[in-house]
Amino acid sequence: MFTESVTLDAPNVRVTDDAIEADYLYETTRVTLDEVSGAAVARPHCERYTFRTERQLPRLGLMLVGWGGNNGSTVTGAVIANREGITWRTKEGIRRPNYVGSLTQSATVRLGSLCAPDSDTHEEDVYVPLSSLLPMVHPNDLEIGGWDISSADLAEAMARAQVLDYDLQRQLRPHMARLRPLPSVFYPDFVAANQSARADNLLPGDDKQAHLERLRADIAEFRRARGVDKVIVLWTANTERFAEVLEGVNDTAENLLAAIRGSHPEVSPSTLFAVASILEGCSFINGSPQNTFVPGVVELAVQHDVFLGGDDFKSGQTKFKSVLVDFLIGAGIKPLSIASYNHLGNNDGKNLSAPSQFRSKEISKSSVVDDMVASNGILYQPGERPDHLVVIKYMPAVGDSKRALDEYESEIFMGGRNTIVVHQTCEDSLLAAPLILDLAILTELAQRISLRRDGDAQYERFHPVLSLLSYLLKAPMVPHGTPVVNALSRQRACIENILRACVGLPPENDMRLEHKRNPRGHQKSL
Amino acid sequence: MRPSGPADDRATASAAATATTAASESPFRSFRAWPVRVQSPRVRYTDRHVEAQYEYRTARVTPDLQRQVLEAREHTLSYTFRTELRVPRLGLLQVGWGGNNGSTVTAAVVANRERLSWAARGGPQAANYYGSLTQAATVHVGSDAAGRDVYVPLSSLLPMVHPNDLVLGGWDVSSLNLADALERAQVLEPDLRRQLRPLLQDMRPWPGAFDRSFIASNQWPRADNVLAGGKGEQLRALRGHIQQFKREHALERAVVVWTGNSERYSSLPPEAHQRAPALLAAIDADHAEVSPSTLYAVAAVLEHCPFVNGSPQNTLLPSVVELARQHHVPVLGDDFKSGQTRLKSVLVDYLLECGFKVRAMVTYNHLGNNDMYQLTDRVMWQPKSSSKSRVIDDLVASNGLLYGPHEQPDHAVVVQYVPYLGDSKRDVSEYTSEAFMGAHYTSVMHNECLDSMLCAPLIIDTAILCELFTRVSFRRTDAPGDYEPLHPVLSVLGFFMKSPQVPPGEPVVNALRRQRACLENMLRALVGLPPESHLRLESKCRVEAPPSSDGESGAAGAARPVAAE
């Protein structure tokens, strides 16, 4: 059954006006290798934690870098359409706005099984919206703003994007026309030359310190003018080339701030936005593949205890790849080669037609199967990996409609081959826009969660590198020295089980042991 | 725009990408052959058993009738699992032994056992068990002291029969010996068939139970090796074969797997359909609606052999399940989930879990082997169609945000016979989903593989795992009583089945990810390891966890070293 909401009333959960506190048993397994006996010695380990989640929802502002791009204008238009209840005509009839494709707004989780109050009989599974587990900001309540290098107002930007249906655009136009992006930072060296034509809304000069201060002032002003309690800054602008990580320049927080003061050429626009965001105490999310989070940025975020999420939205081809390859390797089938072709005709595709920007994307896309390959030492020798190719072509005619063509060649039983060819079509921005909302909503939620291990004096927050968001990101950034998980099913289980922990529910184990007992009362007849 | 090979400079690139992810050593460790020993005060290895106390933690939802709300709370039950450690000598009896699946399984086991390699286009190819969950898949056991993930083969959690040690036999309505059956199947390479011929040519299937009303008429010409007599007589003959086989090969246990033709549904009278005694009576009375597959299932159960139904028909009638319960014999069904349906149970799960609304699924298959040839008969097609079509029901029902109470995606399944393609199965599927703001998200997929190479590893896995679960028993820790076996309907192996049979009242799960998690967590439970939660709190918290002391556990009781093997 499906139900919209469930209440909590359990001895391990305390709900006050301010917070939900849940005592939680965290079970893991620790492994050592006994070289003598040749066994992996596994020790179950458990620790008690208390999760504390503040209940009060803030007024949340979302500032997008690249607000007038296809993603930015689509997110903005969709939120307005949902908030205002705007319906529109298509050739199939009336359409209603929705948040389909959003993890927080349209996905469900299995809560548990329904039992009669005083019996042990498990009747049926109960599913609830993921967002019903904990208080989360609703996307309709987001205050949206941001920067763009193009001066087009959001109505023009929406028309330029060619993503939303015409009749919807027509009705959104009056709402969107008064939204104008703030002037942005543009260092031509970091994006493709073909983007210069669009850049007519720029912060003057080339003093990076002045730019930084202006961005900080923009955030502070947005916070004040829109009356929001929290701001999250999200990069959904062009893919940049990789910045060089240089000793003395961007390797530490201190050096990075000095490099900005000295307007060092290797400080990228996205890094500048990240620094401005951190210094204003705002979480920053990088939706593109470049290395915005140079070591100096991460150190600065740790110093200021601000969340970073990155890199690169996992919306289409890569998301699917992180399901399919996980499935294949998990079933004991050995992928030998993965050839991925993409073509699209939006501005993102245009920018990616330049080699160094494509290189950033290629790196982001290529590491996605590494963890799955490394997990199976039966199929792969150390260092062995499937051939993996990624091609992206700019094809103006298809516009925002992205085509991904993948071929997976695998080895199966006794030298057999399994060939899977996949062709996917969807509007690029309509896949990415719900992820932008999910990232903002989940990051804000993570800011309200703290946890305390039994015996520790204080609650602590999550590590500033917010690996919880991995599900939504192509090249998930994780705290130093911890394994990167790309497999989508594991990433989702992580989000789901963290939310369950916050309300004192054990992790999903899918065992359904209660049904696997043999009813008594039957004896052998022969 | 010519990219250089991503593999060439990935190391440098990712080091530059995020210093935070750069590690000089891989954070993953995967081992080929480390048996897992669990050290815990709650786990005890004896000469014969591993006994594990296990806290089964679930969420219970109960209606609060006064407040008109549902309440969720954690609920813990303590179980003790006991698993026999000794691996028996195991026989695998296949019904349809000379078919493409049966001959491929046989050839693979012999080739692996004899360490054969053969000339293939791409060079020498060695025998392997790729595609088998027990032989080629790994599980995440936990983390080592450095925080690295440790993966081990799924089969190293507990002692399991190795497929090389399987003793093979079976029935077929065609009298071909296995070497000739292998030629007919056209699945394996000629150089391998050449080497296998002397090893397989003396393997001859026993005559099979055959009832022409249950399979398509195009199969009749193949049937030159059939049991005579009425159904009661046939049942006795089948039981005799099993007894003889176990005796001749000194087997402690055998598993019977139906990989014969898809039959039409049987429609026995209600009493024989529901109740074991009436079914046995119907067999004795040579009732026309007792299907050959049900006859094999009954023979297997009466001989205490687990039975796997690898085809879609209703072999496992409630009366067969009752018989299995009486004899404590596991049964597993229905229909091996090897190709299109397996991928569907991944893809649709993925789409819905992302919050996309799947609106239309159109799936075409074509192939040219004997299985397909017989499915050209409309009556035989009905069980297959039904088995394939139910695969998304649980997924759709789980999302009330996207679907109304009785709303279903459009779903079409077409299967065509194209003789030229032989065993090479082609599956063309289109999934059209609704995405954000009314957008269409369309995925088209073409999937090509030899049908029998997808299915053969599943036959091996189900035999090995059915045997394992016959060694498992459990009881409530807090209310000691006798150890009891699992419910005979082995839903824990739903991973392998298109249309998983479950004990009465258990929700049917089709999502492959959940089915795999179920099996993996059950195996972990048997050795007292907690389920995989994927939380990784240690890497999410700011402060590093202190190093653990030896034998540490949240449970009461002193840490105690476990005797080494």
Side-chain angles (χ1 to χ4, degrees):
Chain A
M1 69 175 289
F2 170 77
T3 176
E4 290 283 345
S5 71
V6 169
T7 60
L8 298 163
D9 180 15
N12 62 329
V13 182
R14 296 169 295 281
V15 183
T16 66
D17 287 347
D18 296 336
I20 301 168
E21 280 182 11
D23 299 329
Y24 185 73
L25 193 65
Y26 176 50
E27 294 182 292
T28 53
T29 303
R30 297 184 170 179
V31 189
T32 50
L33 298 170
D34 184 342
E35 306 281 348
V36 181
S37 71
V41 179
R43 292 186 184 87
H45 179 79
C46 64
E47 284 177 313
R48 293 186 182 281
Y49 277 84
T50 303
F51 282 81
R52 186 173 196 280
T53 311
E54 289 168 34
R55 296 179 66 197
Q56 188 63 44
L57 289 178
R59 231 173 112 68
L60 182 63
L62 174 60
M63 295 189 79
L64 302 172
V65 189
W67 191 19
N70 287 19
N71 286 342
S73 60
T74 303
V75 164
T76 309
V79 167
I80 294 172
N82 273 285
R83 186 192 293 149
E84 306 293 329
I86 298 172
T87 62
W88 68 99
R89 285 181 187 282
T90 67
K91 57 184 187 288
E92 292 94 8
I94 303 283
R95 290 260 181 211
R96 289 174 204 294
N98 62 34
Y99 288 112
V100 171
S102 153
L103 181 73
T104 59
Q105 305 307 307
S106 58
T108 59
V109 294
R110 185 174 87 107
L111 192 68
S113 43
L114 186 70
C115 302
D118 45 6
S119 99
D120 253 351
T121 324
H122 293 253
E123 283 158 6
E124 56 178 324
D125 286 349
V126 179
Y127 288 85
V128 295
L130 187 127
S131 61
S132 70
L133 288 174
L134 285 172
M136 296 184 199
V137 172
H138 193 280
N140 285 0
D141 300 329
L142 288 171
E143 285 293 329
I144 300 178
W147 300 264
D148 205 288
I149 57 169
S150 157
S151 63
D153 65 51
L154 267 285
E156 285 173 61
M158 170 176 65
R160 179 178 58 193
Q162 302 180 11
V163 172
L164 298 173
D165 283 325
Y166 168 73
D167 189 42
L168 176 59
Q169 285 190 35
R170 182 183 60 74
Q171 299 177 72
L172 283 170
R173 177 161 274 283
H175 298 274
M176 306 269 283
R178 53 175 187 264
L179 304 176
R180 288 195 173 276
L182 298 161
S184 191
V185 177
F186 186 65
Y187 305 147
D189 175 39
F190 281 90
V191 292
N194 60 33
Q195 295 302 303
S196 297
R198 204 175 159 116
D200 64 354
N201 189 39
L202 309 179
L203 290 181
D206 44 18
D207 179 346
K208 295 190 176 180
Q209 180 64 26
H211 290 167
L212 174 67
E213 283 161 17
R214 173 65 187 269
L215 296 179
R216 291 188 60 179
D218 287 343
I219 297 171
E221 171 59 18
F222 179 80
R223 197 194 289 266
R224 194 192 56 76
R226 308 286 277 271
V228 292
D229 308 307
K230 283 185 191 172
V231 174
I232 289 171
V233 180
L234 188 147
W235 178 275
T236 175
N238 275 321
T239 295
E240 298 172 334
R241 68 164 173 84
F242 265 69
E244 280 185 62
V245 177
L246 300 171
E247 205 177 315
V249 175
N250 45 17
D251 55 342
T252 68
E254 194 184 338
N255 290 341
L256 178 60
L257 294 175
I260 294 171
R261 281 196 295 276
S263 293
H264 193 283
E266 278 308 307
V267 176
S268 67
S270 65
T271 293
L272 208 62
F273 273 99
V275 169
S277 185
I278 292 166
L279 294 177
E280 288 302 311
C282 300
S283 300
F284 185 88
I285 293 156
N286 176 29
S288 292
Q290 71 280 340
N291 61 340
T292 302
F293 299 134
V294 291
V297 171
V298 176
E299 193 187 347
L300 194 68
V302 171
Q303 286 170 4
H304 290 258
D305 198 10
V306 169
F307 286 143
L308 300 180
D311 296 315
D312 206 5
F313 303 131
K314 181 154 83 169
S315 60
Q317 183 180 55
T318 304
K319 194 171 185 177
F320 185 74
K321 193 177 287 175
S322 70
V323 171
L324 195 65
V325 175
D326 182 36
F327 150 63
L328 290 169
I329 294 179
I333 298 170
K334 180 180 182 179
L336 298 170
S337 72
I338 305 168
S340 298
Y341 301 91
N342 301 260
H343 54 273
L344 73 169
N346 62 16
N347 189 51
D348 182 30
K350 189 174 176 187
N351 179 55
L352 290 176
S353 61
S356 51
Q357 281 68 34
F358 170 74
R359 187 76 194 107
S360 299
K361 199 75 179 177
E362 187 184 37
I363 291 166
S364 162
K365 279 175 166 269
S366 65
S367 57
V368 65
V369 299
D370 288 359
D371 58 327
M372 301 164 228
V373 168
S375 78
N376 195 319
I378 303 174
L379 297 176
Y380 296 97
Q381 301 289 342
E384 186 186 359
R385 42 169 57 132
D387 294 338
H388 190 181
L389 167 82
V390 178
V391 174
I392 301 180
K393 290 288 179 191
Y394 178 50
M395 191 68 61
V398 299
D400 199 64
S401 176
K402 184 172 166 178
R403 317 297 164 95
L405 261 148
D406 293 79
E407 184 190 286
Y408 300 83
E409 176 85 359
S410 305
E411 186 178 345
I412 190 170
F413 208 53
M414 298 291 286
R417 291 293 180 98
N418 177 205
T419 309
I420 299 177
V421 181
V422 186
H423 180 272
Q424 303 199 70
T425 311
C426 194
E427 312 283 88
D428 200 22
S429 307
L430 291 171
L431 289 175
L435 305 193
I436 291 177
L437 298 170
D438 288 337
L439 283 162
I441 290 166
L442 290 172
T443 302
E444 189 286 316
L445 170 65
Q447 292 177 1
R448 284 183 283 120
I449 296 175
S450 51
L451 61 165
R452 183 170 62 84
R453 198 169 40 200
D454 235 21
D456 289 356
Q458 287 188 327
Y459 281 93
E460 52 179 302
R461 304 209 309 151
F462 289 130
H463 190 282
V465 175
L466 194 56
S467 58
L468 178 68
L469 304 177
S470 300
Y471 175 86
L472 302 153
L473 298 161
K474 267 197 202 78
M477 193 175 61
V478 299
H480 182 74
T482 64
V484 179
V485 175
N486 285 297
L488 197 78
S489 64
R490 291 170 187 266
Q491 294 170 333
R492 192 185 198 277
C494 175
I495 292 182
E496 195 174 317
N497 287 333
I498 289 272
L499 296 181
R500 293 173 72 94
C502 290
V503 293
L505 294 178
E508 173 64 81
N509 59 37
D510 285 308
M511 289 169 70
R512 296 161 196 269
L513 206 49
E514 55 278 2
H515 296 286
K516 293 184 169 54
R517 305 191 70 202
N518 197 9
R520 286 165 174 279
H522 290 278
Q523 56 201 21
K524 292 190 180 187
S525 63
L526 288 178
Chain B
M1 193 176 73
R2 278 234 8 198
S4 57
D8 304 337
D9 46 1
R10 187 178 305 139
T12 33
S14 58
T18 45
T20 46
T21 57
S24 53
E25 203 179 345
S26 166
F28 300 97
R29 309 179 75 180
S30 180
F31 299 96
R32 279 164 180 253
W34 291 79
V36 173
R37 292 285 289 191
V38 177
Q39 260 181 36
S40 159
R42 297 154 65 84
V43 178
R44 200 164 70 96
Y45 289 87
T46 69
D47 288 347
R48 293 184 54 207
H49 297 113
V50 51
E51 282 177 5
Q53 281 179 39
Y54 186 73
E55 299 300 306
Y56 176 58
R57 302 163 62 207
T58 52
R60 282 181 66 156
V61 185
T62 47
D64 179 333
L65 299 174
Q66 277 182 338
R67 288 160 57 205
Q68 296 282 306
V69 291
L70 290 174
E71 278 177 9
R73 62 162 67 185
E74 176 171 348
H75 185 69
T76 303
L77 286 170
S78 298
Y79 288 107
T80 303
F81 287 100
R82 184 155 84 176
T83 309
E84 283 180 45
L85 290 171
R86 204 175 68 80
V87 173
R89 215 169 127 73
L90 183 67
L92 168 58
L93 292 169
Q94 298 178 82
V95 187
W97 192 18
N100 288 15
N101 286 339
S103 60
T104 304
V105 165
T106 306
V109 167
V110 173
N112 273 284
R113 185 191 293 150
E114 304 294 330
R115 298 171 185 275
L116 298 184
S117 69
W118 60 95
R121 268 193 307 238
Q125 168 77 47
N128 64 35
Y129 287 113
Y130 288 3
S132 152
L133 191 73
T134 59
Q135 304 307 307
T138 58
V139 292
H140 175 226
V141 207
S143 308
D144 70 6
R148 290 173 299 190
D149 283 355
V150 178
Y151 288 82
V152 297
L154 185 127
S155 60
S156 64
L157 286 174
L158 279 164
M160 297 182 197
V161 173
H162 193 281
N164 286 0
D165 300 329
L166 289 171
V167 180
L168 299 165
W171 301 264
D172 205 289
V173 296
S174 156
S175 63
L176 284 195
N177 70 53
L178 265 288
D180 290 339
L182 198 61
E183 296 294 329
R184 179 177 58 189
Q186 300 182 10
V187 171
L188 295 171
E189 294 284 336
D191 186 42
L192 175 60
R193 303 205 301 240
R194 182 182 57 75
Q195 297 177 60
L196 285 169
R197 173 160 285 280
L199 301 166
L200 301 189
Q201 63 190 2
D202 294 331
M203 295 181 174
R204 291 189 179 278
W206 293 308
F210 181 69
D211 182 336
R212 47 171 66 201
S213 97
F214 278 89
I215 59 171
S217 56
N218 62 29
Q219 299 299 304
W220 300 350
R222 202 173 157 122
D224 62 356
N225 190 39
V226 300
L227 286 174
K231 288 180 179 168
E233 243 172 293
Q234 292 181 24
L235 174 63
R236 282 187 287 281
L238 297 177
R239 294 186 63 178
H241 292 144
I242 297 172
Q243 289 162 6
Q244 179 199 346
F245 184 72
K246 285 171 86 168
R247 197 171 52 239
E248 274 179 8
H249 297 280
L251 300 177
E252 293 148 278
R253 212 163 253 300
V255 176
V256 177
V257 179
W258 174 275
T259 175
N261 279 318
S262 286
E263 296 172 335
R264 68 166 172 85
Y265 284 132
S266 83
S267 50
L268 279 164
E271 185 69 8
H273 184 85
Q274 293 292 340
R275 302 299 315 277
L279 174 66
L280 295 174
I283 292 171
D284 276 336
D286 201 18
H287 195 290
E289 282 301 316
V290 174
S291 67
S293 64
T294 292
L295 219 49
Y296 281 100
V298 169
V301 168
L302 293 178
E303 292 303 321
H304 293 96
C305 298
F307 180 85
V308 180
N309 177 28
S311 292
Q313 70 279 340
N314 59 343
T315 303
L316 301 176
L317 303 167
S319 50
V320 174
V321 171
E322 186 183 71
L323 196 68
R325 268 176 57 186
Q326 288 168 359
H327 294 267
H328 298 292
V329 177
V331 292
L332 172 65
D334 293 326
D335 206 6
F336 289 120
K337 180 157 82 167
S338 62
Q340 183 178 60
T341 304
R342 182 151 80 160
L343 206 49
K344 193 178 284 175
S345 71
V346 172
L347 191 60
V348 175
D349 177 43
Y350 152 68
L351 289 167
L352 287 174
E353 289 239 304
C354 290
F356 295 118
K357 180 174 182 177
V358 178
R359 298 300 302 264
M361 294 177 294
V362 187
T363 51
Y364 304 94
N365 302 259
H366 50 276
L367 67 163
N369 62 17
N370 189 51
D371 177 33
M372 184 56 238
Y373 184 39
Q374 114 110 2
L375 287 175
T376 53
D377 184 304
R378 290 196 63 80
V379 180
M380 305 308 149
W381 166 238
Q382 192 199 348
K384 196 77 179 177
S385 164
S386 165
S387 165
K388 278 178 169 276
S389 66
R390 285 192 297 263
V391 66
I392 53 150
D393 290 357
D394 59 323
L395 298 167
V396 169
S398 75
N399 197 319
L401 292 173
L402 295 173
Y403 296 93
H406 301 291
E407 195 180 353
Q408 286 274 347
D410 296 338
H411 190 181
V413 180
V414 175
V415 178
Q416 294 293 329
Y417 179 53
V418 180
Y420 172 74
L421 294 176
D423 200 62
S424 176
K425 183 170 163 176
R426 315 297 165 95
D427 141 25
V428 186
S429 302
E430 184 186 296
Y431 301 81
T432 297
S433 308
E434 201 177 313
F436 201 42
M437 298 294 285
H440 277 174
Y441 175 19
T442 306
S443 296
V444 181
M445 198 173 286
H446 183 270
N447 186 1
E448 182 185 334
C449 194
L450 292 184
D451 203 21
S452 306
M453 286 191 173
L454 286 170
C455 196
L458 307 192
I459 293 177
I460 291 170
D461 285 336
T462 51
I464 290 171
L465 291 168
C466 278
E467 186 286 314
L468 169 67
F469 283 103
T470 60
R471 285 186 272 133
V472 172
S473 55
F474 70 134
R475 64 175 165 87
R476 290 275 289 271
T477 307
D478 45 354
D482 288 343
Y483 282 96
E484 290 175 8
L486 293 173
H487 193 286
V489 178
L490 269 190
S491 56
V492 65
L493 301 182
F495 177 86
F496 300 101
M497 294 290 147
K498 266 198 201 78
S499 179
Q501 295 302 301
V502 296
E506 177 170 345
V508 176
V509 174
N510 286 300
L512 196 79
R513 180 180 55 83
R514 290 183 185 273
Q515 292 171 329
R516 194 184 194 282
C518 174
L519 176 57
E520 192 175 319
N521 286 334
M522 272 299 283
L523 294 176
R524 295 174 68 94
L526 298 182
V527 292
L529 295 180
E532 179 65 70
S533 72
H534 305 292
L535 276 184
R536 296 172 186 268
L537 281 185
E538 19 332 290
S539 62
K540 288 186 175 59
C541 293
R542 303 208 53 179
V543 184
E544 296 294 309
S548 72
S549 57
D550 253 12
E552 182 182 355
S553 161
R560 186 154 67 100
V562 171
E565 279 166 295

